[in-house]
Amino acid sequence: MGEAVEFFHANGFSNLTQKFDPKLVLNVNGNSHLDRDGSWYEETIDDDLKWSFALNVNGVLHKGTSEFQEIALLDTKRFGKVLVIDGKMQSAEVDEFIYHECLIHPALLCHPKPKTVFIMGGGEGSAAREALKHKLLDKVVMCDIDQEVVDFCRRHLTVNQEAFSHKKLNLVINDAKAELEKSCEKFDIIVGDLADPVEGGPCYQLYTKSFYEQILKPKLNHGGIFVTQAGPAGIFTHKEVFTSIFNTIKQVFKYVVAYAAHIPSFADTWGWVMVCELKRINI
């Protein structure tokens, strides 16, 4: 994995009261930057909203680049180790369990006898970790497109090392759409642990009606369940992607339920959508 360029601004938490040299600033996708002194990490949520984290002395624990994205592991004072990809925080050590438990357990608990799980994305390993807590499972397939991100997380996110080495985990490095298309296997549970569907982005095609209808749905066993993360679902943010994901899925599946939970490190409520062709879900 190659070294990522460093991304700094010269003046800590606030650049409103002191001047700084703009040559020292390099935004990652325009979203975030790190303080030169390792004091603060700052992420732009919206034009008028920023979210800042105080860092410990060795604020940047690891960093790297892959063919697809830039990766960093930060050490924050409030939320512990934080995984940042392309300038957007993906998960924080202290509260990532909220996201991943909400993503995995409702679907597995709604299914009477789940044996096989296919995770689209999930290179961090946390979704697989939660799925593997269900002893009835025979196999968990985790399909992520980015080998470098998977290797980075396997090395540095120690909480998931056991999951990565679990005998029931089948790790596949491939585009999830292509992998499902060529697979002859069907699954009891399919999980979407993907980035939000930004138009033109690498995951956009995995949130379309045609994908759900023509590729994903045929790969579910009878009575199978599909669940996906659906982005921010707060009062200011639910129209970004959450509403459109829910409405798109509802055109394809008979029983659809949306649910949400607050994630402190995201400074927002997050949403998920779970679906089934049989009425296993209380709506």
mmCIF file with all atom_site columns, all heavy atoms in Angstrom, residues 8-9 11-14 33-42 52-60 75-77:
data_model
loop_
_atom_site.group_PDB
_atom_site.id
_atom_site.type_symbol
_atom_site.label_atom_id
_atom_site.label_alt_id
_atom_site.label_comp_id
_atom_site.label_asym_id
_atom_site.label_entity_id
_atom_site.label_seq_id
_atom_site.pdbx_PDB_ins_code
_atom_site.Cartn_x
_atom_site.Cartn_y
_atom_site.Cartn_z
_atom_site.occupancy
_atom_site.B_iso_or_equiv
_atom_site.pdbx_formal_charge
_atom_site.auth_seq_id
_atom_site.auth_comp_id
_atom_site.auth_asym_id
_atom_site.auth_atom_id
_atom_site.pdbx_PDB_model_num
ATOM 1   N N   . PHE A 1 8  ? -3.292  18.544 6.057  1.00 0.00 ? 8  PHE A N   1
ATOM 2   C CA  . PHE A 1 8  ? -3.145  19.384 7.231  1.00 0.00 ? 8  PHE A CA  1
ATOM 3   C C   . PHE A 1 8  ? -3.831  20.731 7.033  1.00 0.00 ? 8  PHE A C   1
ATOM 4   O O   . PHE A 1 8  ? -3.966  21.207 5.913  1.00 0.00 ? 8  PHE A O   1
ATOM 5   C CB  . PHE A 1 8  ? -1.664  19.696 7.496  1.00 0.00 ? 8  PHE A CB  1
ATOM 6   C CG  . PHE A 1 8  ? -0.840  18.514 7.866  1.00 0.00 ? 8  PHE A CG  1
ATOM 7   C CD1 . PHE A 1 8  ? 0.322   18.229 7.156  1.00 0.00 ? 8  PHE A CD1 1
ATOM 8   C CD2 . PHE A 1 8  ? -1.203  17.695 8.918  1.00 0.00 ? 8  PHE A CD2 1
ATOM 9   C CE1 . PHE A 1 8  ? 1.104   17.155 7.508  1.00 0.00 ? 8  PHE A CE1 1
ATOM 10  C CE2 . PHE A 1 8  ? -0.407  16.617 9.266  1.00 0.00 ? 8  PHE A CE2 1
ATOM 11  C CZ  . PHE A 1 8  ? 0.735   16.349 8.559  1.00 0.00 ? 8  PHE A CZ  1
ATOM 12  N N   . HIS A 1 9  ? -4.244  21.360 8.139  1.00 0.00 ? 9  HIS A N   1
ATOM 13  C CA  . HIS A 1 9  ? -4.362  22.809 8.117  1.00 0.00 ? 9  HIS A CA  1
ATOM 14  C C   . HIS A 1 9  ? -3.564  23.329 9.289  1.00 0.00 ? 9  HIS A C   1
ATOM 15  O O   . HIS A 1 9  ? -3.267  22.600 10.233 1.00 0.00 ? 9  HIS A O   1
ATOM 16  C CB  . HIS A 1 9  ? -5.836  23.280 8.137  1.00 0.00 ? 9  HIS A CB  1
ATOM 17  C CG  . HIS A 1 9  ? -6.542  23.196 9.442  1.00 0.00 ? 9  HIS A CG  1
ATOM 18  N ND1 . HIS A 1 9  ? -6.322  24.088 10.459 1.00 0.00 ? 9  HIS A ND1 1
ATOM 19  C CD2 . HIS A 1 9  ? -7.491  22.332 9.881  1.00 0.00 ? 9  HIS A CD2 1
ATOM 20  C CE1 . HIS A 1 9  ? -7.109  23.794 11.484 1.00 0.00 ? 9  HIS A CE1 1
ATOM 21  N NE2 . HIS A 1 9  ? -7.819  22.742 11.165 1.00 0.00 ? 9  HIS A NE2 1
ATOM 22  N N   . ASN A 1 11 ? -3.766  25.435 11.817 1.00 0.00 ? 11 ASN A N   1
ATOM 23  C CA  . ASN A 1 11 ? -4.143  26.181 12.995 1.00 0.00 ? 11 ASN A CA  1
ATOM 24  C C   . ASN A 1 11 ? -5.129  25.518 13.946 1.00 0.00 ? 11 ASN A C   1
ATOM 25  O O   . ASN A 1 11 ? -5.901  26.170 14.623 1.00 0.00 ? 11 ASN A O   1
ATOM 26  C CB  . ASN A 1 11 ? -4.725  27.534 12.534 1.00 0.00 ? 11 ASN A CB  1
ATOM 27  C CG  . ASN A 1 11 ? -5.051  28.428 13.706 1.00 0.00 ? 11 ASN A CG  1
ATOM 28  O OD1 . ASN A 1 11 ? -4.247  28.507 14.618 1.00 0.00 ? 11 ASN A OD1 1
ATOM 29  N ND2 . ASN A 1 11 ? -6.201  29.039 13.688 1.00 0.00 ? 11 ASN A ND2 1
ATOM 30  N N   . GLY A 1 12 ? -5.141  24.210 14.008 1.00 0.00 ? 12 GLY A N   1
ATOM 31  C CA  . GLY A 1 12 ? -5.965  23.555 15.016 1.00 0.00 ? 12 GLY A CA  1
ATOM 32  C C   . GLY A 1 12 ? -7.441  23.678 14.787 1.00 0.00 ? 12 GLY A C   1
ATOM 33  O O   . GLY A 1 12 ? -7.918  23.733 13.665 1.00 0.00 ? 12 GLY A O   1
ATOM 34  N N   . PHE A 1 13 ? -8.192  23.729 15.871 1.00 0.00 ? 13 PHE A N   1
ATOM 35  C CA  . PHE A 1 13 ? -9.649  23.646 15.824 1.00 0.00 ? 13 PHE A CA  1
ATOM 36  C C   . PHE A 1 13 ? -10.292 24.744 15.017 1.00 0.00 ? 13 PHE A C   1
ATOM 37  O O   . PHE A 1 13 ? -11.209 24.512 14.256 1.00 0.00 ? 13 PHE A O   1
ATOM 38  C CB  . PHE A 1 13 ? -10.192 23.669 17.248 1.00 0.00 ? 13 PHE A CB  1
ATOM 39  C CG  . PHE A 1 13 ? -11.686 23.719 17.307 1.00 0.00 ? 13 PHE A CG  1
ATOM 40  C CD1 . PHE A 1 13 ? -12.426 22.601 16.967 1.00 0.00 ? 13 PHE A CD1 1
ATOM 41  C CD2 . PHE A 1 13 ? -12.353 24.855 17.695 1.00 0.00 ? 13 PHE A CD2 1
ATOM 42  C CE1 . PHE A 1 13 ? -13.806 22.639 17.030 1.00 0.00 ? 13 PHE A CE1 1
ATOM 43  C CE2 . PHE A 1 13 ? -13.725 24.894 17.758 1.00 0.00 ? 13 PHE A CE2 1
ATOM 44  C CZ  . PHE A 1 13 ? -14.452 23.784 17.426 1.00 0.00 ? 13 PHE A CZ  1
ATOM 45  N N   . SER A 1 14 ? -9.853  25.952 15.143 1.00 0.00 ? 14 SER A N   1
ATOM 46  C CA  . SER A 1 14 ? -10.524 27.060 14.471 1.00 0.00 ? 14 SER A CA  1
ATOM 47  C C   . SER A 1 14 ? -9.554  27.834 13.613 1.00 0.00 ? 14 SER A C   1
ATOM 48  O O   . SER A 1 14 ? -8.473  28.185 14.047 1.00 0.00 ? 14 SER A O   1
ATOM 49  C CB  . SER A 1 14 ? -11.139 28.015 15.505 1.00 0.00 ? 14 SER A CB  1
ATOM 50  O OG  . SER A 1 14 ? -11.657 29.156 14.872 1.00 0.00 ? 14 SER A OG  1
ATOM 51  N N   . HIS A 1 33 ? -9.782  17.670 7.032  1.00 0.00 ? 33 HIS A N   1
ATOM 52  C CA  . HIS A 1 33 ? -8.339  17.861 7.109  1.00 0.00 ? 33 HIS A CA  1
ATOM 53  C C   . HIS A 1 33 ? -7.883  17.652 8.550  1.00 0.00 ? 33 HIS A C   1
ATOM 54  O O   . HIS A 1 33 ? -8.681  17.631 9.481  1.00 0.00 ? 33 HIS A O   1
ATOM 55  C CB  . HIS A 1 33 ? -7.898  19.228 6.600  1.00 0.00 ? 33 HIS A CB  1
ATOM 56  C CG  . HIS A 1 33 ? -8.759  20.368 7.049  1.00 0.00 ? 33 HIS A CG  1
ATOM 57  N ND1 . HIS A 1 33 ? -9.796  20.841 6.295  1.00 0.00 ? 33 HIS A ND1 1
ATOM 58  C CD2 . HIS A 1 33 ? -8.740  21.119 8.171  1.00 0.00 ? 33 HIS A CD2 1
ATOM 59  C CE1 . HIS A 1 33 ? -10.375 21.864 6.917  1.00 0.00 ? 33 HIS A CE1 1
ATOM 60  N NE2 . HIS A 1 33 ? -9.757  22.042 8.054  1.00 0.00 ? 33 HIS A NE2 1
ATOM 61  N N   . LEU A 1 34 ? -6.574  17.479 8.700  1.00 0.00 ? 34 LEU A N   1
ATOM 62  C CA  . LEU A 1 34 ? -5.994  17.240 10.011 1.00 0.00 ? 34 LEU A CA  1
ATOM 63  C C   . LEU A 1 34 ? -5.141  18.421 10.436 1.00 0.00 ? 34 LEU A C   1
ATOM 64  O O   . LEU A 1 34 ? -4.484  19.050 9.619  1.00 0.00 ? 34 LEU A O   1
ATOM 65  C CB  . LEU A 1 34 ? -5.105  15.993 9.989  1.00 0.00 ? 34 LEU A CB  1
ATOM 66  C CG  . LEU A 1 34 ? -5.814  14.655 9.817  1.00 0.00 ? 34 LEU A CG  1
ATOM 67  C CD1 . LEU A 1 34 ? -4.768  13.567 9.711  1.00 0.00 ? 34 LEU A CD1 1
ATOM 68  C CD2 . LEU A 1 34 ? -6.742  14.395 10.969 1.00 0.00 ? 34 LEU A CD2 1
ATOM 69  N N   . ASP A 1 35 ? -5.151  18.689 11.724 1.00 0.00 ? 35 ASP A N   1
ATOM 70  C CA  . ASP A 1 35 ? -4.335  19.754 12.276 1.00 0.00 ? 35 ASP A CA  1
ATOM 71  C C   . ASP A 1 35 ? -2.854  19.374 12.197 1.00 0.00 ? 35 ASP A C   1
ATOM 72  O O   . ASP A 1 35 ? -2.476  18.230 12.435 1.00 0.00 ? 35 ASP A O   1
ATOM 73  C CB  . ASP A 1 35 ? -4.750  19.970 13.739 1.00 0.00 ? 35 ASP A CB  1
ATOM 74  C CG  . ASP A 1 35 ? -4.014  21.108 14.379 1.00 0.00 ? 35 ASP A CG  1
ATOM 75  O OD1 . ASP A 1 35 ? -2.863  20.881 14.757 1.00 0.00 ? 35 ASP A OD1 1
ATOM 76  O OD2 . ASP A 1 35 ? -4.582  22.202 14.479 1.00 0.00 ? 35 ASP A OD2 1
ATOM 77  N N   . ARG A 1 36 ? -2.005  20.334 11.852 1.00 0.00 ? 36 ARG A N   1
ATOM 78  C CA  . ARG A 1 36 ? -0.564  20.073 11.750 1.00 0.00 ? 36 ARG A CA  1
ATOM 79  C C   . ARG A 1 36 ? -0.005  19.540 13.070 1.00 0.00 ? 36 ARG A C   1
ATOM 80  O O   . ARG A 1 36 ? 0.897   18.705 13.079 1.00 0.00 ? 36 ARG A O   1
ATOM 81  C CB  . ARG A 1 36 ? 0.173   21.360 11.349 1.00 0.00 ? 36 ARG A CB  1
ATOM 82  C CG  . ARG A 1 36 ? 1.681   21.235 11.388 1.00 0.00 ? 36 ARG A CG  1
ATOM 83  C CD  . ARG A 1 36 ? 2.352   22.487 10.880 1.00 0.00 ? 36 ARG A CD  1
ATOM 84  N NE  . ARG A 1 36 ? 2.163   22.646 9.461  1.00 0.00 ? 36 ARG A NE  1
ATOM 85  C CZ  . ARG A 1 36 ? 2.870   21.975 8.548  1.00 0.00 ? 36 ARG A CZ  1
ATOM 86  N NH1 . ARG A 1 36 ? 3.763   21.083 8.919  1.00 0.00 ? 36 ARG A NH1 1
ATOM 87  N NH2 . ARG A 1 36 ? 2.665   22.169 7.265  1.00 0.00 ? 36 ARG A NH2 1
ATOM 88  N N   . ASP A 1 37 ? -0.524  20.034 14.194 1.00 0.00 ? 37 ASP A N   1
ATOM 89  C CA  . ASP A 1 37 ? -0.023  19.597 15.496 1.00 0.00 ? 37 ASP A CA  1
ATOM 90  C C   . ASP A 1 37 ? -0.659  18.294 15.946 1.00 0.00 ? 37 ASP A C   1
ATOM 91  O O   . ASP A 1 37 ? -0.399  17.820 17.037 1.00 0.00 ? 37 ASP A O   1
ATOM 92  C CB  . ASP A 1 37 ? -0.311  20.681 16.548 1.00 0.00 ? 37 ASP A CB  1
ATOM 93  C CG  . ASP A 1 37 ? 0.355   22.003 16.196 1.00 0.00 ? 37 ASP A CG  1
ATOM 94  O OD1 . ASP A 1 37 ? 1.475   21.947 15.675 1.00 0.00 ? 37 ASP A OD1 1
ATOM 95  O OD2 . ASP A 1 37 ? -0.254  23.055 16.431 1.00 0.00 ? 37 ASP A OD2 1
ATOM 96  N N   . GLY A 1 38 ? -1.517  17.697 15.123 1.00 0.00 ? 38 GLY A N   1
ATOM 97  C CA  . GLY A 1 38 ? -2.172  16.463 15.509 1.00 0.00 ? 38 GLY A CA  1
ATOM 98  C C   . GLY A 1 38 ? -3.229  16.691 16.558 1.00 0.00 ? 38 GLY A C   1
ATOM 99  O O   . GLY A 1 38 ? -3.573  15.789 17.306 1.00 0.00 ? 38 GLY A O   1
ATOM 100 N N   . SER A 1 39 ? -3.785  17.906 16.677 1.00 0.00 ? 39 SER A N   1
ATOM 101 C CA  . SER A 1 39 ? -4.710  18.221 17.754 1.00 0.00 ? 39 SER A CA  1
ATOM 102 C C   . SER A 1 39 ? -6.159  17.937 17.403 1.00 0.00 ? 39 SER A C   1
ATOM 103 O O   . SER A 1 39 ? -6.930  17.520 18.250 1.00 0.00 ? 39 SER A O   1
ATOM 104 C CB  . SER A 1 39 ? -4.587  19.704 18.144 1.00 0.00 ? 39 SER A CB  1
ATOM 105 O OG  . SER A 1 39 ? -3.271  19.984 18.545 1.00 0.00 ? 39 SER A OG  1
ATOM 106 N N   . TRP A 1 40 ? -6.551  18.201 16.153 1.00 0.00 ? 40 TRP A N   1
ATOM 107 C CA  . TRP A 1 40 ? -7.954  18.104 15.774 1.00 0.00 ? 40 TRP A CA  1
ATOM 108 C C   . TRP A 1 40 ? -8.113  17.490 14.385 1.00 0.00 ? 40 TRP A C   1
ATOM 109 O O   . TRP A 1 40 ? -7.315  17.740 13.495 1.00 0.00 ? 40 TRP A O   1
ATOM 110 C CB  . TRP A 1 40 ? -8.617  19.489 15.767 1.00 0.00 ? 40 TRP A CB  1
ATOM 111 C CG  . TRP A 1 40 ? -8.742  20.099 17.116 1.00 0.00 ? 40 TRP A CG  1
ATOM 112 C CD1 . TRP A 1 40 ? -7.826  20.881 17.741 1.00 0.00 ? 40 TRP A CD1 1
ATOM 113 C CD2 . TRP A 1 40 ? -9.851  19.973 18.015 1.00 0.00 ? 40 TRP A CD2 1
ATOM 114 N NE1 . TRP A 1 40 ? -8.300  21.258 18.975 1.00 0.00 ? 40 TRP A NE1 1
ATOM 115 C CE2 . TRP A 1 40 ? -9.540  20.723 19.163 1.00 0.00 ? 40 TRP A CE2 1
ATOM 116 C CE3 . TRP A 1 40 ? -11.088 19.316 17.952 1.00 0.00 ? 40 TRP A CE3 1
ATOM 117 C CZ2 . TRP A 1 40 ? -10.402 20.818 20.250 1.00 0.00 ? 40 TRP A CZ2 1
ATOM 118 C CZ3 . TRP A 1 40 ? -11.956 19.409 19.022 1.00 0.00 ? 40 TRP A CZ3 1
ATOM 119 C CH2 . TRP A 1 40 ? -11.610 20.153 20.164 1.00 0.00 ? 40 TRP A CH2 1
ATOM 120 N N   . TYR A 1 41 ? -9.158  16.724 14.246 1.00 0.00 ? 41 TYR A N   1
ATOM 121 C CA  . TYR A 1 41 ? -9.627  16.279 12.931 1.00 0.00 ? 41 TYR A CA  1
ATOM 122 C C   . TYR A 1 41 ? -10.959 16.968 12.678 1.00 0.00 ? 41 TYR A C   1
ATOM 123 O O   . TYR A 1 41 ? -11.815 17.019 13.562 1.00 0.00 ? 41 TYR A O   1
ATOM 124 C CB  . TYR A 1 41 ? -9.822  14.764 12.918 1.00 0.00 ? 41 TYR A CB  1
ATOM 125 C CG  . TYR A 1 41 ? -10.636 14.257 11.752 1.00 0.00 ? 41 TYR A CG  1
ATOM 126 C CD1 . TYR A 1 41 ? -10.063 14.124 10.488 1.00 0.00 ? 41 TYR A CD1 1
ATOM 127 C CD2 . TYR A 1 41 ? -11.972 13.915 11.911 1.00 0.00 ? 41 TYR A CD2 1
ATOM 128 C CE1 . TYR A 1 41 ? -10.811 13.669 9.419  1.00 0.00 ? 41 TYR A CE1 1
ATOM 129 C CE2 . TYR A 1 41 ? -12.727 13.457 10.847 1.00 0.00 ? 41 TYR A CE2 1
ATOM 130 C CZ  . TYR A 1 41 ? -12.138 13.330 9.600  1.00 0.00 ? 41 TYR A CZ  1
ATOM 131 O OH  . TYR A 1 41 ? -12.889 12.886 8.549  1.00 0.00 ? 41 TYR A OH  1
ATOM 132 N N   . GLU A 1 42 ? -11.129 17.505 11.494 1.00 0.00 ? 42 GLU A N   1
ATOM 133 C CA  . GLU A 1 42 ? -12.329 18.273 11.178 1.00 0.00 ? 42 GLU A CA  1
ATOM 134 C C   . GLU A 1 42 ? -12.969 17.746 9.898  1.00 0.00 ? 42 GLU A C   1
ATOM 135 O O   . GLU A 1 42 ? -12.288 17.529 8.904  1.00 0.00 ? 42 GLU A O   1
ATOM 136 C CB  . GLU A 1 42 ? -11.968 19.748 11.014 1.00 0.00 ? 42 GLU A CB  1
ATOM 137 C CG  . GLU A 1 42 ? -13.151 20.668 10.770 1.00 0.00 ? 42 GLU A CG  1
ATOM 138 C CD  . GLU A 1 42 ? -12.685 22.104 10.616 1.00 0.00 ? 42 GLU A CD  1
ATOM 139 O OE1 . GLU A 1 42 ? -12.557 22.808 11.640 1.00 0.00 ? 42 GLU A OE1 1
ATOM 140 O OE2 . GLU A 1 42 ? -12.417 22.509 9.473  1.00 0.00 ? 42 GLU A OE2 1
ATOM 141 N N   . SER A 1 52 ? -15.794 18.341 14.585 1.00 0.00 ? 52 SER A N   1
ATOM 142 C CA  . SER A 1 52 ? -14.367 18.267 14.914 1.00 0.00 ? 52 SER A CA  1
ATOM 143 C C   . SER A 1 52 ? -14.116 17.297 16.053 1.00 0.00 ? 52 SER A C   1
ATOM 144 O O   . SER A 1 52 ? -14.921 17.189 16.980 1.00 0.00 ? 52 SER A O   1
ATOM 145 C CB  . SER A 1 52 ? -13.843 19.657 15.291 1.00 0.00 ? 52 SER A CB  1
ATOM 146 O OG  . SER A 1 52 ? -13.914 20.537 14.204 1.00 0.00 ? 52 SER A OG  1
ATOM 147 N N   . PHE A 1 53 ? -12.977 16.625 16.003 1.00 0.00 ? 53 PHE A N   1
ATOM 148 C CA  . PHE A 1 53 ? -12.590 15.648 16.999 1.00 0.00 ? 53 PHE A CA  1
ATOM 149 C C   . PHE A 1 53 ? -11.209 15.994 17.529 1.00 0.00 ? 53 PHE A C   1
ATOM 150 O O   . PHE A 1 53 ? -10.270 16.177 16.746 1.00 0.00 ? 53 PHE A O   1
ATOM 151 C CB  . PHE A 1 53 ? -12.517 14.236 16.389 1.00 0.00 ? 53 PHE A CB  1
ATOM 152 C CG  . PHE A 1 53 ? -13.807 13.729 15.830 1.00 0.00 ? 53 PHE A CG  1
ATOM 153 C CD1 . PHE A 1 53 ? -14.232 14.115 14.569 1.00 0.00 ? 53 PHE A CD1 1
ATOM 154 C CD2 . PHE A 1 53 ? -14.591 12.854 16.562 1.00 0.00 ? 53 PHE A CD2 1
ATOM 155 C CE1 . PHE A 1 53 ? -15.416 13.643 14.049 1.00 0.00 ? 53 PHE A CE1 1
ATOM 156 C CE2 . PHE A 1 53 ? -15.779 12.371 16.044 1.00 0.00 ? 53 PHE A CE2 1
ATOM 157 C CZ  . PHE A 1 53 ? -16.193 12.768 14.793 1.00 0.00 ? 53 PHE A CZ  1
ATOM 158 N N   . ALA A 1 54 ? -11.061 16.043 18.838 1.00 0.00 ? 54 ALA A N   1
ATOM 159 C CA  . ALA A 1 54 ? -9.737  16.215 19.433 1.00 0.00 ? 54 ALA A CA  1
ATOM 160 C C   . ALA A 1 54 ? -8.966  14.907 19.302 1.00 0.00 ? 54 ALA A C   1
ATOM 161 O O   . ALA A 1 54 ? -9.496  13.827 19.564 1.00 0.00 ? 54 ALA A O   1
ATOM 162 C CB  . ALA A 1 54 ? -9.870  16.615 20.898 1.00 0.00 ? 54 ALA A CB  1
ATOM 163 N N   . LEU A 1 55 ? -7.700  15.018 18.905 1.00 0.00 ? 55 LEU A N   1
ATOM 164 C CA  . LEU A 1 55 ? -6.859  13.842 18.729 1.00 0.00 ? 55 LEU A CA  1
ATOM 165 C C   . LEU A 1 55 ? -5.868  13.716 19.875 1.00 0.00 ? 55 LEU A C   1
ATOM 166 O O   . LEU A 1 55 ? -5.493  14.701 20.503 1.00 0.00 ? 55 LEU A O   1
ATOM 167 C CB  . LEU A 1 55 ? -6.088  13.935 17.409 1.00 0.00 ? 55 LEU A CB  1
ATOM 168 C CG  . LEU A 1 55 ? -6.911  14.074 16.136 1.00 0.00 ? 55 LEU A CG  1
ATOM 169 C CD1 . LEU A 1 55 ? -5.980  14.134 14.925 1.00 0.00 ? 55 LEU A CD1 1
ATOM 170 C CD2 . LEU A 1 55 ? -7.899  12.943 15.983 1.00 0.00 ? 55 LEU A CD2 1
ATOM 171 N N   . ASN A 1 56 ? -5.451  12.495 20.130 1.00 0.00 ? 56 ASN A N   1
ATOM 172 C CA  . ASN A 1 56 ? -4.377  12.265 21.085 1.00 0.00 ? 56 ASN A CA  1
ATOM 173 C C   . ASN A 1 56 ? -3.042  12.665 20.461 1.00 0.00 ? 56 ASN A C   1
ATOM 174 O O   . ASN A 1 56 ? -2.979  13.071 19.293 1.00 0.00 ? 56 ASN A O   1
ATOM 175 C CB  . ASN A 1 56 ? -4.376  10.793 21.519 1.00 0.00 ? 56 ASN A CB  1
ATOM 176 C CG  . ASN A 1 56 ? -5.529  10.485 22.464 1.00 0.00 ? 56 ASN A CG  1
ATOM 177 O OD1 . ASN A 1 56 ? -5.806  11.239 23.405 1.00 0.00 ? 56 ASN A OD1 1
ATOM 178 N ND2 . ASN A 1 56 ? -6.230  9.391  22.210 1.00 0.00 ? 56 ASN A ND2 1
ATOM 179 N N   . VAL A 1 57 ? -1.973  12.537 21.221 1.00 0.00 ? 57 VAL A N   1
ATOM 180 C CA  . VAL A 1 57 ? -0.668  13.053 20.793 1.00 0.00 ? 57 VAL A CA  1
ATOM 181 C C   . VAL A 1 57 ? -0.263  12.474 19.441 1.00 0.00 ? 57 VAL A C   1
ATOM 182 O O   . VAL A 1 57 ? 0.103   13.202 18.523 1.00 0.00 ? 57 VAL A O   1
ATOM 183 C CB  . VAL A 1 57 ? 0.409   12.750 21.853 1.00 0.00 ? 57 VAL A CB  1
ATOM 184 C CG1 . VAL A 1 57 ? 1.779   13.190 21.345 1.00 0.00 ? 57 VAL A CG1 1
ATOM 185 C CG2 . VAL A 1 57 ? 0.068   13.451 23.159 1.00 0.00 ? 57 VAL A CG2 1
ATOM 186 N N   . ASN A 1 58 ? -0.329  11.165 19.305 1.00 0.00 ? 58 ASN A N   1
ATOM 187 C CA  . ASN A 1 58 ? -0.029  10.527 18.027 1.00 0.00 ? 58 ASN A CA  1
ATOM 188 C C   . ASN A 1 58 ? -1.345  10.353 17.263 1.00 0.00 ? 58 ASN A C   1
ATOM 189 O O   . ASN A 1 58 ? -1.880  9.252  17.160 1.00 0.00 ? 58 ASN A O   1
ATOM 190 C CB  . ASN A 1 58 ? 0.667   9.182  18.239 1.00 0.00 ? 58 ASN A CB  1
ATOM 191 C CG  . ASN A 1 58 ? 2.003   9.340  18.928 1.00 0.00 ? 58 ASN A CG  1
ATOM 192 O OD1 . ASN A 1 58 ? 2.776   10.223 18.581 1.00 0.00 ? 58 ASN A OD1 1
ATOM 193 N ND2 . ASN A 1 58 ? 2.279   8.487  19.906 1.00 0.00 ? 58 ASN A ND2 1
ATOM 194 N N   . GLY A 1 59 ? -1.857  11.462 16.753 1.00 0.00 ? 59 GLY A N   1
ATOM 195 C CA  . GLY A 1 59 ? -3.209  11.470 16.198 1.00 0.00 ? 59 GLY A CA  1
ATOM 196 C C   . GLY A 1 59 ? -3.397  10.586 14.983 1.00 0.00 ? 59 GLY A C   1
ATOM 197 O O   . GLY A 1 59 ? -4.429  9.950  14.822 1.00 0.00 ? 59 GLY A O   1
ATOM 198 N N   . VAL A 1 60 ? -2.401  10.538 14.081 1.00 0.00 ? 60 VAL A N   1
ATOM 199 C CA  . VAL A 1 60 ? -2.505  9.702  12.890 1.00 0.00 ? 60 VAL A CA  1
ATOM 200 C C   . VAL A 1 60 ? -1.737  8.405  13.146 1.00 0.00 ? 60 VAL A C   1
ATOM 201 O O   . VAL A 1 60 ? -0.514  8.374  13.128 1.00 0.00 ? 60 VAL A O   1
ATOM 202 C CB  . VAL A 1 60 ? -1.929  10.427 11.652 1.00 0.00 ? 60 VAL A CB  1
ATOM 203 C CG1 . VAL A 1 60 ? -2.122  9.565  10.407 1.00 0.00 ? 60 VAL A CG1 1
ATOM 204 C CG2 . VAL A 1 60 ? -2.598  11.787 11.468 1.00 0.00 ? 60 VAL A CG2 1
ATOM 205 N N   . ASP A 1 75 ? -6.440  8.482  16.090 1.00 0.00 ? 75 ASP A N   1
ATOM 206 C CA  . ASP A 1 75 ? -6.627  8.203  17.512 1.00 0.00 ? 75 ASP A CA  1
ATOM 207 C C   . ASP A 1 75 ? -7.272  9.422  18.156 1.00 0.00 ? 75 ASP A C   1
ATOM 208 O O   . ASP A 1 75 ? -6.601  10.418 18.430 1.00 0.00 ? 75 ASP A O   1
ATOM 209 C CB  . ASP A 1 75 ? -5.277  7.886  18.173 1.00 0.00 ? 75 ASP A CB  1
ATOM 210 C CG  . ASP A 1 75 ? -5.434  7.458  19.616 1.00 0.00 ? 75 ASP A CG  1
ATOM 211 O OD1 . ASP A 1 75 ? -6.554  7.105  20.020 1.00 0.00 ? 75 ASP A OD1 1
ATOM 212 O OD2 . ASP A 1 75 ? -4.420  7.476  20.354 1.00 0.00 ? 75 ASP A OD2 1
ATOM 213 N N   . THR A 1 76 ? -8.582  9.373  18.361 1.00 0.00 ? 76 THR A N   1
ATOM 214 C CA  . THR A 1 76 ? -9.304  10.502 18.929 1.00 0.00 ? 76 THR A CA  1
ATOM 215 C C   . THR A 1 76 ? -9.480  10.343 20.429 1.00 0.00 ? 76 THR A C   1
ATOM 216 O O   . THR A 1 76 ? -9.498  9.228  20.951 1.00 0.00 ? 76 THR A O   1
ATOM 217 C CB  . THR A 1 76 ? -10.697 10.662 18.280 1.00 0.00 ? 76 THR A CB  1
ATOM 218 O OG1 . THR A 1 76 ? -11.558 9.603  18.732 1.00 0.00 ? 76 THR A OG1 1
ATOM 219 C CG2 . THR A 1 76 ? -10.600 10.618 16.767 1.00 0.00 ? 76 THR A CG2 1
ATOM 220 N N   . LYS A 1 77 ? -9.623  11.460 21.114 1.00 0.00 ? 77 LYS A N   1
ATOM 221 C CA  . LYS A 1 77 ? -9.779  11.418 22.567 1.00 0.00 ? 77 LYS A CA  1
ATOM 222 C C   . LYS A 1 77 ? -11.156 10.919 22.987 1.00 0.00 ? 77 LYS A C   1
ATOM 223 O O   . LYS A 1 77 ? -11.299 10.224 23.985 1.00 0.00 ? 77 LYS A O   1
ATOM 224 C CB  . LYS A 1 77 ? -9.521  12.805 23.154 1.00 0.00 ? 77 LYS A CB  1
ATOM 225 C CG  . LYS A 1 77 ? -8.066  13.244 23.030 1.00 0.00 ? 77 LYS A CG  1
ATOM 226 C CD  . LYS A 1 77 ? -7.818  14.577 23.714 1.00 0.00 ? 77 LYS A CD  1
ATOM 227 C CE  . LYS A 1 77 ? -6.342  14.955 23.630 1.00 0.00 ? 77 LYS A CE  1
ATOM 228 N NZ  . LYS A 1 77 ? -6.062  16.262 24.285 1.00 0.00 ? 77 LYS A NZ  1
#
